[in-house]
Amino acid sequence: FIIKRDGSAEVFYPYKISDAIRKAYESVSKLYDPKIFVSVIKRIGKENRNSVEAIQDAIEEELHKAD
């Protein structure tokens, strides 16, 4: 489960993370790199990140690493 900003829990849907990464790439006119998705998923599991904020931070950190 993922803890949303309002404190409620929602089933984890990996495609939502992929969509967020894809939108970030589109916002800077770059091609989507699926390796970022894999890295984020691994970090979420390894670091037990289960809140929307923590996942967003992981996405941003991985995008900065790739840049």
Side-chain angles (χ1 to χ4, degrees):
F1 286 93
I2 297 298
I3 306 303
K4 296 172 65 173
R5 286 184 173 86
D6 67 3
S8 64
E10 181 178 283
V11 175
F12 175 70
Y13 295 109
Y15 76 86
K16 289 187 175 186
I17 294 171
S18 180
D19 289 348
I21 295 168
R22 192 176 308 276
K23 287 177 185 177
Y25 271 99
E26 289 172 1
S27 74
V28 293
S29 301
K30 290 188 176 183
L31 293 175
Y32 173 75
D33 184 355
K35 290 184 275 187
I36 300 298
F37 171 74
V38 172
S39 296
V40 170
I41 294 296
K42 285 180 181 178
R43 282 184 70 171
I44 291 168
K46 182 178 175 184
E47 298 173 10
N48 196 27
R49 293 186 180 210
N50 65 345
S51 71
V52 169
E53 290 86 0
I55 292 169
Q56 185 175 6
D57 290 346
I59 291 170
E60 290 173 6
E61 291 163 10
E62 291 300 323
L63 288 171
H64 285 293
K65 277 190 208 175
D67 213 10

